[in-house]
Structures are given as C-alpha cells and as structure tokens.
Amino acid sequence: MAKHTDVATVLAEQKTGEQIEVKGWVRAFRANRFISLNDGSGANNLQVVVDYENFDDAIIKNISFHACVGIKGTLVESQGKGQAVELLAEAIEILGANELDKYPLQPKRQTMEFLREQAHFRMRTNTFSSVFRLRHALAFAVHSFFNENGFYYMHTPIITGSDAEGAGEMFQVTTLDVDKPARTEDNNVDYSQDFFGKATNLTVSGQLQAEIGAMAMGKVYTFGPTFRAENSNTSRHLAEFWMIEPEVAFADLNDNMDLAEAFVKYLINYVLDKYMDDLQILDARIQEEEKNMKAELRRPMGLIETLRFVVEDDFARITYTEAINLLRSSKPYKKGKFEYDVEWGVDLQAEHERWLVEKKFKKPVIVTDYPKDIKAFYMRMNDDNKTVAAMDILFPGIGEVVGGSQREERLDVLKARMTEMDVHHEELDWYLDLRRFGGNKHAGFGLGFERIVLFITGMTNIRDVIAFPRTPGNAEF
Ligand code: 4AD
Ligand code: MG
C-alpha cells in the first residue's frame, strides 16, 4: 500500500471491505484488544480491533498510552456500539515506542496545571487536540471574515520604537551588552550605538501602523503576536498573545461596534458550523468536571448552548456612565459585596464587569464612552471633553475580549492629548502626519485572540489555549 489514510478520512468515507493503512497515537488500549487511534486529523478516534494471539508479545506490550503506531488492516462495519466502522488489524508496526513506564501522562483525568508542565505532550490529549484544532479554525475564520468583507491583511512590525498604548509595558529589544552598555557623555545608555540606532521594543499593538494602512487602503487588519511586560499573573493575561486589529477609514464608533459584533459572531458561527465534534468533546469535558460541583458553582449553560445563545441575541450596549449608575444601584454594591469601589472616573474591575455581563444583562455587553483619563491617547475626545469614543466588549466568564475606539483625527486635539498624557511627539511624528495630510475619521479595535479562543473552547485558563504560554516567570519550551 502506497500511502496511509487520515483517520478523519477513514471515518468520513467508511469504505468497508477495503484494506487501509493508518498511522497515529494510541489514545487507549482496552482489554489488549481495542485501540483508540488518533492522528490529529479530527476529533474522533478510529477503533482498531487487535487479535493479540496473532501478534508478538513485544508488539502488544508496546501498544501503550500515546505510543506511535502504524496499522494495516481491513475496515469493517463495527460489531460494537459507539462507532460505525472499525479496523481489523493485520499488521502493526511500532513507529515510536514509549520508554517503559516512563511516559508522564496517564490515561485518566489529569489536572490542567500538570498538563501545562507537559506541554510537549498535552496536544495528544482529547481536550487539547480539540482546543488546538479550534484555535486553528478560528484563525482561519478571522481571515475569511475580513477577506469576505473587503479588508486587506497587513503585517505590522514586531519590533518598534513606539509604545502604542502608552502604558510602558514593553519588552526591550537590544544588542547592546547589558552588563556594559555603551554610554553617552552624561552616562545614559547610548542607544545610538544599538542595533537600530535607537531604543526599540517588541510591539504591544499593531494599531498605529494599521492606521497608516486604513488611510490608504480603506479597510485593513493585522493579526499577529503582541507582547506586554505587565506583571499580571491572572487566568486572562499572557505576556505574548495574538491580537486581531482591524482599522477602518470613514468609520465612527457605531460602525466599529457593529463590525466587532458581526466579527465575533462570525467566528462563533464558523466553529458551530464546522467543528461540532470538537465542541462536543469540550462540552462533555465541562459537564464531567462539574458533575460533583455545587449547583451554584456550575456554569448556567452548557458550552454549545452558550455559543448559540451569544450569536442569536444582540449584544447589550451601554455607556460607561450608565454602567457606573447600574453598578451603584446594584445589590452587591449596596450590600458592600464588591471588593473595589465603584466611582465615576475609575476603571471597572473584573467583578464589576462580571456583574454587568452575568447578572444584569446575561449576555455580552459593549461599554462605550469611558473617561478620557483611563484610556489611551489616540481615542477620539467626545464633545463633553470628559469622555472618549472608546468601546470594550465584555464577555461572560472572561471580561474584556475587545478594546477599541474611534480615533482622534483632529491634529490640535490629538497633540494636546499627547502632551497631557506625556506621549512623545517626536517618536510619533508620522502618526501626526496622518492628521496633517489627507486624514479622515476612522475607527478600529483589538480582539484578544486567546480570550475569544478561551470563551469558545470553554477552557478556564488562558494558558491552556496557546500551545506555549509566556507568563511572568515562565518561558518554557
Ligand atoms: O484593550 P487593548 O489594550 O487595546 C489595544 O491594544 C488597541 N491598540 C486595540 C485597537 O484599538 N486596535 O487590547 C486589545 C485586546 C483586549 O481587549 C484583550 O482581549 C487583549 O487584547 N489583551 C490581552 N490578551 C491576553 N493577555 C494580555 N496581557 C492582554 N492584554 C490585552
Ligand atoms: Mg483594553
């Protein structure tokens, strides 16, 4: 036989009576007789029936958990329940045996923390292979959504001299000797001798460069890795994460919200439509996990039900000021149950966002028009001179998934804001040029890719939806 067949193809075509060859990893070996084989091509395993009397003990012994095997045999209608077809093994080759009794994973439930330490093996588990197939599907859907809607994909730089968010949370990129960097006469580090002739960092966002694209190509988006040296050790933060940032000429805040809502719903519909097997595996995982939990700790809905619910209903839209008023008249506020105070001008904390989304509206909420002092310099000033045309989309269980705004297109207002917020003009003169020459109103947003993958897979820690998470104190693999 010339070539092996993907398990997904075998299961889809069900060509019983044919001789086939498959290759993959052993997900389970029951009663020395039934192998569940998976090669990553899909969510479902192929059942292989092994008559152990026909094989050497050495072969049978090596059919262990997650060992790699190649099997030739005949595909037949299954005698048992749970699968339509099964493979009767005629020849088994151990392609990659496991060192005896040393494989760290076990064919049973293991904690996410343990599996994180075994990130070189966790992709072989049912849960993680489904997570990473969905991650792929969602990345693909990002491109198809924008392509279908007339956007151009642009690659913004990874290494940059500017701090787009002005939050100072950047990783420096340098080839200077960190022990003895070149010094200027007044003993500062002499970045003119650094690789790029100036200080540079890993980007925190491609937005500012995407604005260049929007002012020429109309509708553009970036989708790339971004880096933040924020010391947030939470289940929602990574130091290296992927962000999708569309930027649209002639668009205002309302257009921006409509685009973001349509985009997120497209992503969810895409996997509901094409990746139901993986969603079912993850849905079942959650049910299993919650089986012994108290009712109030369980999620209000199953995973697939939640996804359907989100795409079927409009997102709620409220201003920041309305959100503050709702929070201040809420039960937990009045009973002093919130840890953080709720006050106009102060950023919403996770507990406040969760109350709005999970208790008050029971669906995604778009909060707009935040106080200028808690948002970035580029957001468009509203007529009240106190708030900016910002929007955050808050999701159940996660909080902020999207952050965006209409951009300040008025040169004088933008310059005043930059001065007020201590953003250096020289570094961003080209950004100001976009307001000096052929500028126009425009808007955009950033969707945190891992945050939406987290929501759609129903996983609870962002470290479990990126293959090799980077977090404070951890850059393993
Ligand atoms: O709200 P942020 O900081 O917005 C921007 O960076 C803008 N430049 C976007 C734009 O308008 N083009 O980040 C956008 C999104 C957040 O809503 C969140 O989903 C995600 O990026 N995000 C993170 N995801 C994982 N780990 C982190 N440390 C994140 N920080 C932000
Ligand atoms: Mg934000």
Side-chain angles (χ1 to χ4, degrees), residues 309-310 316 318 327 350-367 392-400 455:
F309 181 78
V310 167
I318 57 169
L327 282 160
E351 56 179 353
H352 308 138
E353 296 181 343
R354 296 192 67 156
W355 179 82
L356 286 168
V357 172
E358 290 159 32
K359 295 284 186 296
K360 176 69 191 169
F361 290 100
K362 299 192 165 64
K363 59 180 179 178
V365 179
I366 312 185
V367 181
D392 278 5
I393 305 187
L394 313 178
F395 259 57
I398 296 188
E400 181 188 339
F455 178 73

Side-chain angles (χ1 to χ4, degrees), residues 164-165 204-208 226 228 230 232 236-247 256 375 378-379 392-393 400-405 407 444-452 462:
E165 293 303 300
V204 295
S205 156
Q207 176 199 322
L208 303 191
T226 48
R228 295 197 185 174
E230 51 186 332
S232 314
R236 308 284 176 261
H237 289 87
L238 291 165
E240 175 179 302
F241 63 99
W242 288 65
M243 187 162 37
I244 298 120
E245 296 180 275
E247 195 67 36
N256 206 28
K375 288 294 183 188
Y378 52 71
M379 297 192 178
D392 278 5
I393 305 187
E400 181 188 339
V401 167
V402 167
S405 75
R407 315 309 187 190
F445 62 83
L447 170 75
F449 187 55
E450 285 76 15
R451 296 230 178 135
I452 198 71
I462 201 164

Side-chain angles (χ1 to χ4, degrees), residues 119-131:
H120 50 318
F121 295 133
R122 68 176 178 169
M123 278 179 152
R124 296 177 185 172
T125 66
N126 292 335
T127 297
F128 283 92
S129 51
S130 285
V131 165

Side-chain angles (χ1 to χ4, degrees), residues 172-176 181-186 188-200:
Q172 197 177 342
V173 175
T174 183
T175 53
L176 292 175
R183 299 258 174 206
T184 59
E185 273 169 21
D186 39 13
N188 292 318
V189 174
D190 185 4
Y191 286 108
S192 72
Q193 296 196 41
D194 202 350
F195 190 90
F196 296 104
K198 63 177 194 172
T200 50

Side-chain angles (χ1 to χ4, degrees), residues 161-163 377 418-419 421-429 431-432:
S162 42
D163 178 2
F377 70 93
M418 286 167 72
T419 305
M421 297 183 80
D422 219 15
V423 177
H424 298 295
H425 293 220
E426 320 82 73
E427 203 51 69
L428 289 174
D429 204 45
Y431 189 72
L432 294 170

